[in-house]
Short mmCIF file of all heavy atoms in Angstrom, two decimals:
data_model
loop_
_atom_site.label_atom_id
_atom_site.label_comp_id
_atom_site.label_asym_id
_atom_site.label_seq_id
_atom_site.Cartn_x
_atom_site.Cartn_y
_atom_site.Cartn_z
N GLU F 24 46.79 55.10 -71.61
CA GLU F 24 47.64 56.26 -71.90
C GLU F 24 46.99 57.55 -71.40
O GLU F 24 47.66 58.41 -70.83
CB GLU F 24 47.87 56.34 -73.42
CG GLU F 24 48.84 57.43 -73.84
CD GLU F 24 50.24 57.21 -73.30
OE1 GLU F 24 50.60 56.05 -73.03
OE2 GLU F 24 50.98 58.21 -73.14
N ARG F 25 45.65 57.66 -71.60
CA ARG F 25 44.95 58.84 -71.08
C ARG F 25 45.02 58.90 -69.56
O ARG F 25 45.25 59.97 -68.97
CB ARG F 25 43.49 58.82 -71.54
CG ARG F 25 43.30 59.17 -73.00
CD ARG F 25 41.84 59.47 -73.28
NE ARG F 25 41.01 58.31 -73.07
CZ ARG F 25 40.72 57.42 -74.01
NH1 ARG F 25 41.20 57.57 -75.23
NH2 ARG F 25 39.93 56.39 -73.76
N GLU F 26 44.87 57.74 -68.90
CA GLU F 26 44.96 57.71 -67.44
C GLU F 26 46.37 58.05 -66.97
O GLU F 26 46.55 58.71 -65.94
CB GLU F 26 44.54 56.33 -66.94
CG GLU F 26 44.43 56.24 -65.43
CD GLU F 26 43.93 54.89 -64.97
OE1 GLU F 26 43.51 54.11 -65.84
OE2 GLU F 26 43.94 54.63 -63.76
N LYS F 27 47.37 57.63 -67.74
CA LYS F 27 48.75 57.94 -67.40
C LYS F 27 49.02 59.44 -67.48
O LYS F 27 49.67 60.02 -66.60
CB LYS F 27 49.68 57.18 -68.33
CG LYS F 27 51.16 57.38 -68.04
CD LYS F 27 52.01 56.57 -69.00
CE LYS F 27 53.49 56.79 -68.74
NZ LYS F 27 54.33 56.02 -69.70
N MET F 28 48.50 60.09 -68.53
CA MET F 28 48.68 61.53 -68.67
C MET F 28 47.95 62.28 -67.56
O MET F 28 48.45 63.25 -66.98
CB MET F 28 48.18 61.98 -70.04
CG MET F 28 48.98 61.40 -71.20
SD MET F 28 48.30 61.83 -72.82
CE MET F 28 48.49 63.62 -72.76
N GLN F 29 46.73 61.79 -67.23
CA GLN F 29 45.98 62.42 -66.14
C GLN F 29 46.71 62.25 -64.81
O GLN F 29 46.74 63.17 -63.98
CB GLN F 29 44.58 61.80 -66.07
CG GLN F 29 43.70 62.42 -65.00
CD GLN F 29 42.33 61.78 -64.94
OE1 GLN F 29 42.02 60.90 -65.75
NE2 GLN F 29 41.50 62.20 -64.03
N TYR F 30 47.30 61.06 -64.59
CA TYR F 30 48.06 60.82 -63.35
C TYR F 30 49.26 61.76 -63.26
O TYR F 30 49.56 62.28 -62.19
CB TYR F 30 48.50 59.36 -63.30
CG TYR F 30 49.49 59.07 -62.20
CD1 TYR F 30 49.08 58.98 -60.87
CD2 TYR F 30 50.85 58.91 -62.49
CE1 TYR F 30 49.99 58.72 -59.86
CE2 TYR F 30 51.75 58.65 -61.47
CZ TYR F 30 51.32 58.55 -60.17
OH TYR F 30 52.22 58.30 -59.17
N ALA F 31 49.94 61.97 -64.39
CA ALA F 31 51.10 62.87 -64.38
C ALA F 31 50.68 64.29 -64.02
O ALA F 31 51.36 64.98 -63.24
CB ALA F 31 51.78 62.84 -65.75
N GLN F 32 49.52 64.71 -64.56
CA GLN F 32 49.04 66.06 -64.23
C GLN F 32 48.65 66.16 -62.77
O GLN F 32 48.97 67.14 -62.07
CB GLN F 32 47.85 66.41 -65.13
CG GLN F 32 47.27 67.80 -64.90
CD GLN F 32 48.25 68.90 -65.24
OE1 GLN F 32 49.12 68.72 -66.07
NE2 GLN F 32 48.12 70.04 -64.59
N GLU F 33 47.92 65.14 -62.25
CA GLU F 33 47.50 65.16 -60.85
C GLU F 33 48.70 65.07 -59.92
O GLU F 33 48.71 65.69 -58.85
CB GLU F 33 46.53 64.01 -60.60
CG GLU F 33 45.19 64.17 -61.31
CD GLU F 33 44.29 62.98 -61.06
OE1 GLU F 33 44.75 62.01 -60.41
OE2 GLU F 33 43.12 63.01 -61.51
N LEU F 34 49.71 64.27 -60.31
CA LEU F 34 50.91 64.16 -59.48
C LEU F 34 51.65 65.49 -59.42
O LEU F 34 52.16 65.89 -58.36
CB LEU F 34 51.82 63.07 -60.04
CG LEU F 34 53.13 62.83 -59.27
CD1 LEU F 34 52.83 62.38 -57.85
CD2 LEU F 34 53.97 61.78 -60.00
N LYS F 35 51.68 66.18 -60.56
CA LYS F 35 52.34 67.49 -60.58
C LYS F 35 51.62 68.48 -59.67
O LYS F 35 52.25 69.26 -58.95
CB LYS F 35 52.38 68.00 -62.01
CG LYS F 35 53.13 69.31 -62.17
CD LYS F 35 53.19 69.72 -63.64
CE LYS F 35 53.93 71.05 -63.80
NZ LYS F 35 53.96 71.47 -65.23
N GLU F 36 50.28 68.44 -59.69
CA GLU F 36 49.51 69.32 -58.81
C GLU F 36 49.67 68.90 -57.35
O GLU F 36 49.74 69.76 -56.46
CB GLU F 36 48.03 69.27 -59.22
CG GLU F 36 47.77 69.84 -60.62
CD GLU F 36 46.32 69.68 -61.03
OE1 GLU F 36 45.56 69.07 -60.23
OE2 GLU F 36 45.96 70.16 -62.11
N TYR F 37 49.73 67.57 -57.08
CA TYR F 37 49.87 67.10 -55.71
C TYR F 37 51.22 67.48 -55.13
O TYR F 37 51.33 67.75 -53.93
CB TYR F 37 49.68 65.58 -55.68
CG TYR F 37 49.99 64.95 -54.34
CD1 TYR F 37 49.15 65.17 -53.24
CD2 TYR F 37 51.11 64.15 -54.16
CE1 TYR F 37 49.43 64.61 -52.02
CE2 TYR F 37 51.40 63.58 -52.94
CZ TYR F 37 50.56 63.81 -51.87
OH TYR F 37 50.84 63.25 -50.66
N GLN F 38 52.26 67.51 -55.95
CA GLN F 38 53.59 67.88 -55.48
C GLN F 38 53.68 69.33 -55.05
O GLN F 38 54.65 69.72 -54.40
CB GLN F 38 54.62 67.59 -56.57
CG GLN F 38 54.86 66.11 -56.80
CD GLN F 38 55.79 65.85 -57.96
OE1 GLN F 38 56.09 66.75 -58.75
NE2 GLN F 38 56.24 64.61 -58.11
N GLN F 39 52.68 70.14 -55.42
CA GLN F 39 52.67 71.53 -54.98
C GLN F 39 51.90 71.74 -53.68
O GLN F 39 51.86 72.85 -53.15
CB GLN F 39 52.03 72.42 -56.09
CG GLN F 39 52.67 72.26 -57.46
CD GLN F 39 54.12 72.65 -57.48
OE1 GLN F 39 54.51 73.58 -56.76
NE2 GLN F 39 54.92 71.97 -58.28
N THR F 40 51.28 70.66 -53.15
CA THR F 40 50.46 70.79 -51.95
C THR F 40 51.31 70.69 -50.70
O THR F 40 52.47 70.23 -50.71
CB THR F 40 49.38 69.71 -51.93
OG1 THR F 40 50.01 68.42 -51.94
CG2 THR F 40 48.49 69.83 -53.16
N GLU F 41 50.72 71.09 -49.59
CA GLU F 41 51.41 71.03 -48.30
C GLU F 41 51.57 69.60 -47.81
O GLU F 41 52.56 69.25 -47.17
CB GLU F 41 50.61 71.85 -47.27
CG GLU F 41 51.28 71.94 -45.91
CD GLU F 41 50.46 72.77 -44.93
OE1 GLU F 41 49.42 73.29 -45.35
OE2 GLU F 41 50.88 72.88 -43.77
N ALA F 42 50.58 68.73 -48.15
CA ALA F 42 50.65 67.34 -47.71
C ALA F 42 51.87 66.64 -48.31
O ALA F 42 52.55 65.85 -47.64
CB ALA F 42 49.38 66.59 -48.12
N PHE F 43 52.18 66.94 -49.57
CA PHE F 43 53.34 66.33 -50.21
C PHE F 43 54.64 66.82 -49.55
O PHE F 43 55.58 66.04 -49.36
CB PHE F 43 53.35 66.64 -51.70
CG PHE F 43 54.57 66.14 -52.42
CD1 PHE F 43 54.70 64.80 -52.74
CD2 PHE F 43 55.60 67.00 -52.75
CE1 PHE F 43 55.83 64.33 -53.38
CE2 PHE F 43 56.73 66.54 -53.40
CZ PHE F 43 56.84 65.19 -53.71
N GLN F 44 54.69 68.11 -49.21
CA GLN F 44 55.88 68.64 -48.57
C GLN F 44 56.12 67.98 -47.21
O GLN F 44 57.25 67.63 -46.85
CB GLN F 44 55.74 70.16 -48.41
CG GLN F 44 55.53 70.91 -49.72
CD GLN F 44 56.70 70.75 -50.67
OE1 GLN F 44 57.83 70.58 -50.23
NE2 GLN F 44 56.44 70.83 -51.98
N ILE F 45 55.03 67.77 -46.45
CA ILE F 45 55.15 67.12 -45.14
C ILE F 45 55.63 65.68 -45.30
O ILE F 45 56.52 65.20 -44.58
CB ILE F 45 53.81 67.18 -44.39
CG1 ILE F 45 53.44 68.65 -44.08
CG2 ILE F 45 53.86 66.35 -43.12
CD1 ILE F 45 52.08 68.82 -43.48
N THR F 46 55.03 64.96 -46.27
CA THR F 46 55.43 63.57 -46.50
C THR F 46 56.88 63.48 -46.94
O THR F 46 57.64 62.60 -46.49
CB THR F 46 54.51 62.95 -47.56
OG1 THR F 46 53.15 63.08 -47.15
CG2 THR F 46 54.84 61.48 -47.77
N SER F 47 57.30 64.38 -47.83
CA SER F 47 58.69 64.36 -48.29
C SER F 47 59.66 64.63 -47.14
O SER F 47 60.72 64.01 -47.03
CB SER F 47 58.88 65.40 -49.39
OG SER F 47 58.02 65.13 -50.48
N THR F 48 59.27 65.55 -46.25
CA THR F 48 60.12 65.85 -45.10
C THR F 48 60.25 64.65 -44.19
O THR F 48 61.36 64.33 -43.70
CB THR F 48 59.55 67.05 -44.34
OG1 THR F 48 59.41 68.17 -45.23
CG2 THR F 48 60.46 67.44 -43.19
N LYS F 49 59.15 63.95 -43.93
CA LYS F 49 59.19 62.76 -43.08
C LYS F 49 60.06 61.67 -43.69
O LYS F 49 60.85 61.02 -42.99
CB LYS F 49 57.77 62.24 -42.84
CG LYS F 49 56.93 63.12 -41.94
CD LYS F 49 55.58 62.51 -41.70
CE LYS F 49 54.73 63.37 -40.76
NZ LYS F 49 53.40 62.77 -40.54
N ILE F 50 59.92 61.45 -44.99
CA ILE F 50 60.73 60.43 -45.65
C ILE F 50 62.21 60.78 -45.59
O ILE F 50 63.08 59.93 -45.34
CB ILE F 50 60.27 60.24 -47.11
CG1 ILE F 50 58.84 59.68 -47.14
CG2 ILE F 50 61.20 59.33 -47.88
CD1 ILE F 50 58.24 59.58 -48.52
N GLN F 51 62.52 62.07 -45.79
CA GLN F 51 63.91 62.51 -45.74
C GLN F 51 64.48 62.35 -44.34
O GLN F 51 65.63 61.90 -44.17
CB GLN F 51 64.01 63.97 -46.21
CG GLN F 51 65.43 64.48 -46.34
CD GLN F 51 66.18 63.81 -47.49
OE1 GLN F 51 65.57 63.26 -48.37
NE2 GLN F 51 67.49 63.86 -47.44
N ASP F 52 63.69 62.72 -43.31
CA ASP F 52 64.16 62.57 -41.92
C ASP F 52 64.39 61.10 -41.59
O ASP F 52 65.38 60.75 -40.91
CB ASP F 52 63.14 63.18 -40.96
CG ASP F 52 63.05 64.69 -41.13
OD1 ASP F 52 63.98 65.27 -41.73
OD2 ASP F 52 62.06 65.28 -40.68
N LYS F 53 63.49 60.23 -42.05
CA LYS F 53 63.66 58.81 -41.76
C LYS F 53 64.91 58.26 -42.44
O LYS F 53 65.63 57.44 -41.87
CB LYS F 53 62.41 58.05 -42.25
CG LYS F 53 62.39 56.59 -41.83
CD LYS F 53 61.12 55.92 -42.31
CE LYS F 53 59.90 56.48 -41.60
NZ LYS F 53 58.67 55.75 -41.98
N ARG F 54 65.19 58.72 -43.65
CA ARG F 54 66.39 58.27 -44.35
C ARG F 54 67.65 58.74 -43.64
O ARG F 54 68.64 58.00 -43.52
CB ARG F 54 66.37 58.78 -45.80
CG ARG F 54 67.52 58.23 -46.65
CD ARG F 54 67.50 58.79 -48.06
NE ARG F 54 66.33 58.38 -48.77
CZ ARG F 54 65.35 59.20 -49.14
NH1 ARG F 54 65.43 60.48 -48.86
NH2 ARG F 54 64.32 58.75 -49.81
N ILE F 55 67.63 59.98 -43.15
CA ILE F 55 68.80 60.52 -42.44
C ILE F 55 69.04 59.76 -41.14
O ILE F 55 70.17 59.41 -40.80
CB ILE F 55 68.62 62.03 -42.17
CG1 ILE F 55 68.64 62.80 -43.51
CG2 ILE F 55 69.71 62.55 -41.25
CD1 ILE F 55 68.31 64.26 -43.36
N LYS F 56 67.95 59.46 -40.40
CA LYS F 56 68.08 58.71 -39.16
C LYS F 56 68.63 57.31 -39.43
O LYS F 56 69.43 56.77 -38.66
CB LYS F 56 66.74 58.62 -38.45
CG LYS F 56 66.28 59.95 -37.85
CD LYS F 56 64.95 59.79 -37.14
CE LYS F 56 64.48 61.11 -36.53
NZ LYS F 56 63.18 60.96 -35.86
N LYS F 57 68.19 56.72 -40.54
CA LYS F 57 68.66 55.38 -40.86
C LYS F 57 70.14 55.38 -41.21
O LYS F 57 70.88 54.44 -40.88
CB LYS F 57 67.83 54.83 -42.03
CG LYS F 57 68.13 53.39 -42.36
CD LYS F 57 67.22 52.89 -43.46
CE LYS F 57 67.51 51.44 -43.79
NZ LYS F 57 66.63 50.94 -44.88
#
């Protein structure tokens, strides 16, 4: 449970990074192409 809460916090911080934005854009482009 503690690891789950820590993962949620780290995921929230990761979603604010530039790497997450780039990955989300690539996934969205691939879905649109498909």
Side-chain angles (χ1 to χ4, degrees):
E24 185 64 25
R25 285 194 296 269
E26 187 176 351
K27 182 179 178 181
M28 296 175 63
Q29 182 180 358
Y30 169 76
Q32 181 64 27
E33 292 178 356
L34 180 62
K35 184 177 180 181
E36 295 176 357
Y37 172 70
Q38 289 175 348
Q39 306 298 326
T40 60
E41 184 180 357
F43 176 77
Q44 301 298 331
I45 295 174
T46 304
S47 301
T48 304
K49 289 183 178 179
I50 295 175
Q51 186 68 20
D52 294 343
K53 188 178 293 185
R54 186 182 296 113
I55 293 173
K56 289 181 180 179
K57 186 176 180 180

